Each structure stands twice: as C-alpha cells, then as structure tokens.
C-alpha cells in the first residue's frame, strides 16, 4: 500500500473541511467513467464528516435567498482529524491512501501553544502541506489595488506569518530526502474569478506568504511550490458582497479576533446549483507527487548506477509499494494531463519534480 501524509493548514472558518469534502466529487467528475481511476472511502469517520459538510453546503442551495451570511451556523472541526481517501484503480488490488490531516483553525491562535506543538509534530511526518486561504480576507479592505497590498484583516484571518514560521521550523527536507510539496489553495474565489482578478489573487499570495517563498528560494531543489485556487461553491454561484455593518455604522467585528464576523455573499444567479470547480486539483497534484516518488523507486537501477546517489531509497520504500506503483504509473499520462498549471491564478513556482515537463 502507498501512503502519503497531507496537512491541511488554515485559519478558522476559512473553508478547509468544505474543500476536502468536495474533492471526491470533483475527482470523479474529471475522471468519470472514461478511466479506471476512482476514489473510495472506507473510513467511517471520514465518510461522516464529508456527508455532514456536503449537507451543510447544499443547504445554501435549497430554498435560496438572494444573500447569505456565512459563518452563522456551521460544523466546525472539533479536534485533530485524519481523513483517509483511497485512490484506486478499478480491477486492481493496490491503492494509494491519502491521509489528510485537518484541525480546528482556532488552534493557530496564540492561546493554543500545546495544540500547535501537536501540529508541528504532525507536519514533520507530512510530505505535502496544503495552505487553505480565505481569499476574501486576503483581498478585501486592502490599501490599494496592487499585489503588494493585502487586506487589512488578512493576517488575523489567515495567519500567514505564523504558518510561514511553522513551515520553516517543522517542514524541512533533510539532505537526500525527496522534495516536499507546498500547495497554496485560495478558497471562496468566486468574486475574483467572475471579475477577472485571479492574477491579483496570485500576486497577493506572493506578498502575504513572502517568507515561505524566500525560504523555498533558498532551498530550491527541496520544495515543489504551487498555487491552486478553488471555487468551492462554483462559478456564478455565491460571491462575496460585503462585510455586514452594525447599528453603529461600523463593520461588525468578532470581539475575540477583531476581524469582520459577518461576511455577506450574494447569489448572482438564483437558479444556480452547487458546482464546485477545481477541487480535484490539490488531489491531482498530490497524485503527481506520489507518481514522482514511484518513478524514482522504479529507477532503482539508476540509483545503483549512481544517477540518484543522493536519494535515500529507504525513504521512498516507506511510501511506495512497487507492485501497485506499476499500475499507477500506467495512469500517469491521464493524471498529469489534467493538472492545471496556469491561468485563473494557477502557478507552479518552484518545480524540482519537473511537473511542467512530465510526460510518460
Ligand atoms: N461562500 C463560501 N462559503 C464557504 C466556502 N467554503 C466554505 N464556506 C463556508 O464557510 C464556513 C466554514 O467552512 P469550513 O469548511 O467548515 O471551514 P474550516 O476551515 O474547516 O473551519 P474550522 O473547522 O472551524 O477550522 C461554512 O459556513 C462553510 O459553509 C466557499 O467556497 N464559499
Ligand atoms: Mg474544519
């Protein structure tokens, strides 16, 4: 069995669990009945969370009102969760299990030092970090319209600098280890997608997470870095309208975090339906990462011949079972063809895995 550990980072209510819940459906839409690739969920706890989140989101689309205020009642993640998604090939025994770690975003607040230690210990065993970003807080209330300026509430919502420090401390790649992957996943992008501002979203991610980009630049061969924006609800569904004002005429703030507590979204088209877009991309990049490890395993002979001298094989053996690797590698072209690499804010910034050139 192949196992890959993924950490889903991000502040509270930014949409981490919702996007994990939408992944399976999007993956199946992309690969449909035309391929043998499929996702199975055998873990009951994972199934429960996904069902609950999908039900919560689908409520927005039942008896639609023109505007909705998010954050009113939602199922917050209650503790450290590990969701298990099995990627299978129909008719074959082998599978690749993604262990996706999710946690309550409030753990990133400064009054949760013990929980942060738990997270750091987890990250050390992860191959991939996904950093979920509440794009509305990144984009709104910025000083100007340039990429260098981010929303005034961004840091308090998205914890960019704090996450950067955790990554630098606990997500290091030892010499000889295969590269790790850092994926920035901006969520709730509908407004910016509909108004053609996804490149600005991309630029502001570069500004907000500057420390991570600088760290990766210093360790160029060690991190595959990707920006992969997502429309969790779907284009032309609900897009951000404004932060709700209180009776005093000021934006209503959460008394604890001092960030707007009532983001209001409007349905542009009242007849729209739940149609998440690009939620499969983080999964596909994860699969591309695994395929790269498998490929390196298969090149054992070359390793012996000295071509990959620095690569410690035992590390790869922890993740990859060569018997089923062969079956997956046969699907490599199908998977990599579906990787979105540009436009709509997408970018591969650092590419030691050479995904841009990946061909069979
Ligand atoms: N408009 C909009 N709302 C979203 C989107 N994704 C999630 N939400 C809503 O945002 C709220 C938080 O979503 P979750 O997925 O539970 O967020 P989380 O990051 O897991 O939150 P914690 O578990 O508390 O850390 C819920 O009310 C969701 O319905 C999106 O793409 N667009
Ligand atoms: Mg959650």
């Amino acid at each position: 069995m192949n196992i890959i550990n993924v950490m889903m980072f991000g502040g509270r209510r930014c949409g981490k669990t919702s996007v994990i819940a939408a992944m399976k459906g999007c993956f199946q839409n992309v690969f449909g009945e035309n391929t043998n690739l499929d996702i199975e969920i055998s873990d009951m706890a994972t199934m429960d969370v996904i069902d609950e989140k999908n039900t919560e989101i689908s409520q927005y689309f039942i008896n639609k009102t023109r505007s909705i205020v998010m954050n009113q009642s939602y199922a917050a993640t209650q503790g450290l969760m590990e969701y298990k998604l099995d990627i299978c090939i129909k008719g074959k025994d082998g599978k690749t299990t993604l262990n996706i770690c999710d946690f309550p975003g409030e753990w990133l607040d400064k009054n949760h030092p013990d929980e942060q230690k738990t997270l750091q210990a987890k990250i050390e065993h992860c191959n991939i970090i996904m950093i979920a970003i509440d794009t509305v807080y990144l984009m709104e209330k910025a000083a100007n319209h340039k990429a260098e300026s981010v929303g005034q509430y961004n840091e308090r919502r998205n914890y960019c600098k704090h996450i950067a420090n955790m990554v630098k401390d606990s997500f290091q790649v030892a010499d000889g280890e295969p590269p790790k992957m850092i994926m920035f996943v901006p969520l709730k992008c509908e407004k910016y997608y509909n108004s053609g501002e996804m490149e600005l979203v991309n630029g502001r991610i570069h500004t907000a997470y500057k420390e991570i980009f600088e760290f990766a630049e210093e360790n160029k061969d060690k991190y595959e870095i990707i920006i992969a924006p997502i429309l969790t609800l779907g284009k032309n569904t609900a897009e951000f309208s404004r932060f709700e004002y209180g009776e005093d005429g000021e934006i209503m703030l959460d008394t604890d975090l001092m960030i707007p507590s009532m983001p209001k979204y409007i349905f542009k088209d009242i007849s729209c339906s739940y149609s998440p877009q690009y939620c499969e991309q983080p999964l596909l990049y994860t699969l591309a990462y695994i395929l790269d490890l498998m490929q390196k395993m298969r090149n054992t002979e070359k390793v012996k011949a000295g071509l990959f001298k620095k690569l410690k094989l035992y590390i790869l053996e922890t993740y990859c079972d060569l018997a089923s690797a062969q079956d997956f590698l046969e699907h490599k072209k199908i998977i990599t063809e579906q990787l979105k690499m540009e436009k709509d804010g997408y970018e591969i910034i650092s590419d030691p895995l050479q995904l841009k050139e990946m061909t069979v």
Side-chain angles (χ1 to χ4, degrees), residues 8-21 53 56-58 60 68-79 83 102-107 132 134 136 157 186-190 230-234 237-240 263-266 274:
M8 178 62 91
F9 249 126
R12 67 168 95 161
R13 297 181 196 147
C14 80
K16 300 181 292 300
T17 310
S18 304
V19 79
I20 296 171
K53 222 9 115 180
E56 180 188 310
I57 298 248
S58 58
Y60 296 139
I68 40 172
V69 175
M70 291 292 167
N71 302 345
Q72 291 298 286
S73 63
Y74 79 105
T77 306
Q78 295 302 327
Y83 310 126
D102 186 18
F103 63 92
E106 65 195 85
W107 280 15
D134 192 325
V136 167
R157 177 67 159 196
L187 305 172
K188 308 180 186 174
C189 291
E190 284 79 356
I230 281 180
L231 313 177
T232 321
L233 301 186
T237 55
E239 65 170 50
F240 175 76
K264 196 171 174 181
Y265 291 73
I266 50 166
Y274 177 42

Side-chain angles (χ1 to χ4, degrees), residues 1-4 24 27-28 37-43 46 50 83-89 93-100 283 287 328:
M1 187 165 59
N2 311 294
I3 296 181
I4 220 83
K24 180 174 185 256
F27 185 91
Q28 285 168 332
L37 285 166
D38 201 7
I39 294 193
E40 281 174 9
I41 300 175
S42 47
D43 179 63
T46 304
I50 288 181
Y83 310 126
K84 293 187 194 322
L85 303 186
D86 299 327
I87 315 277
C88 314
I89 299 169
D93 288 337
K95 62 180 179 182
T96 292
T97 299
L98 312 187
N99 252 335
I100 307 185
L283 269 188
L287 272 179
F328 278 97

